[in-house]
Amino acid sequence: MAWTKYQLFLAGLMLVTGSINTLSAKWADNFIAEGCGGTAEHSFQHPFLQAVGMFLGEFSCLAAFYLLQCRATGQSVSSVDPQQPFNPLLFLPPALCDMTGTSLMYVALNMTSASSFQMLRGAVIIFTGLFSVAFLGRRLVPSQWLGILATIAGLVVVGLADLLSKQDNQHKLSEVITGDLLIIMAQVIVAIQMVLEEKFVYKHNVHPLRAVGTEGLFGFVILSLLLVPMYYIPAGSFSGNPKGTLEDALDAFCQLGKQPLIALALLGNISSIAFFNFAGISVTKELSATTRMVLDSLRTVVIWALSLALGWETFHPLQILGFLILLTGTALYNGLHRPLLACLSRGWHPAPEAERERLLDGNRTPINETN
């Protein structure tokens, strides 16, 4: 049985919007424009403001949740999921982790390539596995431990490729090393977020779109307020604005006025994260988690290929090896080697009915990784 047109649309939407999300953020970073008060042209390095935009995109998932619910139940918007009461403050600790991890990753994206950024995010498997054993009392099967070891090896190879590749005018070697380390540090925080969600949130059976939207609301409000003190906090060499502070939102808006294409890049980042969340959750529901993992790996290939084509980075053969090792580690950890081998032996088919779920049916679904 072949995929339906709707399933093909969802798969394509996830692949395209997921790629746009990282590429648009990197595109914004590459712009150079004047700042406020006629300051000299400088790069658009405003990671915390970009993170605010990302949370705005997550927040919009609440609207998607309510629209889907109205379509499914035929009720008005005011009647919102009365059978699933929960305290929204449950999402505050995961939202704080999401806010910290996302901000670190946007800082790192200013320092390293888009492809390395995407590949190194695979480190989350290592910390998620270790934390699930330590705090959730889980036991990892041998294939999962092999997946963690393979992921560590893949990270070493990707990091080595960054060290050996010719550095462009945008990124010094010290910046690339710092950026890569910040990405891995961010994955520790993302893993903590996932453990918190599993321990305190999943038992309330909240729909993933609603969960992502609620976390987005907290992240958007809190990080927007934090932009004020960040305007006065000196950041030294980590600062990318003329004031030398942690974040200068005023400078960002001045640069937006001087170079409107930056606004287009930010809009692409905000809208793509919303559609990517919806498409990712829908792919899991309509097809399977295996399909979603395969599409996420293809997203890395698309980002890598376009970055090379646009001249944003140089090619190094070790990246291919590192990517393949990381892909193997991901497959082993998530148990994807079994269905993939089965698919190779009998041909690819959509997941059986037991693996698919209808949107808004109330079944437990992992909250999407949106960073």
Side-chain angles (χ1 to χ4, degrees):
M1 179 176 164
W3 284 8
T4 66
K5 290 181 180 179
Y6 179 61
Q7 290 169 338
L8 287 171
F9 167 75
L10 289 175
L13 183 65
M14 178 183 169
L15 182 60
V16 171
T17 55
S19 302
I20 289 174
N21 182 246
T22 298
L23 291 171
S24 60
K26 190 63 181 178
W27 186 33
D29 295 342
N30 289 338
F31 279 108
I32 297 177
E34 293 181 8
C36 297
T39 55
E41 289 187 342
H42 54 279
S43 299
F44 185 84
Q45 294 188 17
H46 298 281
F48 296 99
L49 185 69
Q50 285 179 290
V52 169
M54 191 277 293
F55 283 116
L56 180 61
E58 285 191 9
F59 178 35
S60 66
C61 289
L62 274 179
F65 168 75
Y66 293 145
L67 288 173
L68 285 169
Q69 188 186 47
C70 290
R71 182 180 176 185
T73 63
Q75 296 175 344
S76 64
V77 178
S78 59
S79 178
V80 177
D81 199 13
Q83 289 144 352
Q84 293 185 3
F86 70 97
N87 185 352
L89 290 177
L90 280 172
F91 292 97
L92 181 57
L96 292 174
C97 292
D98 194 8
M99 182 183 72
T100 307
T102 299
S103 299
L104 280 177
M105 284 192 280
Y106 275 115
V107 171
L109 190 56
N110 282 308
M111 300 179 176
T112 191
S113 64
S115 62
S116 294
F117 169 83
Q118 195 66 32
M119 292 182 194
L120 291 174
R121 287 174 60 185
V124 71
I125 287 175
I126 302 170
F127 306 110
T128 302
L130 296 178
F131 291 165
S132 65
V133 171
F135 301 110
L136 298 178
R138 283 193 178 160
R139 290 180 129 188
L140 300 183
V141 298
S143 63
Q144 290 178 310
W145 286 113
L146 285 174
I148 289 175
L149 292 175
T151 301
I152 293 173
L155 293 175
V156 171
V157 174
V158 171
L160 188 60
D162 280 343
L163 292 177
L164 296 178
S165 62
K166 295 179 179 178
Q167 303 305 314
D168 53 31
N169 294 327
Q170 290 181 325
H171 306 301
K172 299 177 182 177
L173 181 59
S174 59
E175 289 182 341
V176 171
I177 295 173
T178 304
D180 288 354
L181 291 175
L182 284 175
I183 295 170
I184 294 174
M185 286 174 56
Q187 302 320 300
V188 178
I189 300 172
V190 172
I192 295 172
Q193 174 192 348
M194 296 172 74
V195 169
L196 287 173
E197 288 173 344
E198 176 127 359
K199 193 170 183 66
F200 300 109
V201 177
Y202 284 163
K203 62 183 179 182
H204 294 277
N205 210 17
V206 181
H207 188 272
L209 279 176
R210 192 176 189 184
V212 170
T214 305
E215 288 186 10
L217 172 61
F218 280 122
F220 176 74
V221 172
I222 295 172
L223 195 54
S224 295
L225 294 175
L226 287 177
L227 290 179
V228 177
M230 286 180 183
Y231 181 80
Y232 300 99
I233 299 174
S237 59
F238 277 97
S239 174
N241 58 74
K243 279 179 63 68
T245 56
L246 202 56
E247 181 61 281
D248 186 351
L250 295 179
D251 179 70
F253 287 113
C254 289
Q255 287 187 293
L256 284 170
K258 299 289 185 179
Q259 177 52 273
L261 285 178
I262 298 177
L264 180 62
L266 295 181
L267 183 61
N269 186 252
I270 294 170
S271 56
S272 63
I273 194 65
F275 284 105
F276 176 67
N277 276 312
F278 170 77
I281 292 167
S282 300
V283 164
T284 302
K285 295 279 188 177
E286 297 289 334
L287 294 164
S288 69
T290 304
T291 305
R292 182 174 179 176
M293 194 64 64
V294 171
L295 290 172
D296 206 43
S297 299
L298 287 176
R299 177 167 68 119
T300 302
V301 176
V302 172
I303 291 170
W304 188 15
L306 288 176
S307 296
L308 291 172
L310 293 170
W312 290 356
E313 58 185 271
T314 55
F315 173 78
H316 198 287
L318 271 180
Q319 279 194 310
I320 298 178
L321 178 61
F323 172 69
L324 291 176
I325 296 174
L326 286 171
L327 188 60
T328 302
T330 301
L332 287 171
Y333 182 83
N334 290 283
L336 303 187
H337 55 292
R338 291 186 292 270
L340 286 176
L341 289 174
C343 287
L344 289 175
S345 63
R346 69 173 185 270
W348 181 266
H349 297 287
E353 200 65 35
E355 287 190 50
R356 298 198 301 269
E357 302 168 9
R358 300 172 66 87
L359 281 173
L360 295 168
D361 66 351
N363 290 333
R364 177 176 299 179
T365 307
I367 295 176
N368 186 38
E369 297 173 60
T370 56
N371 304 3

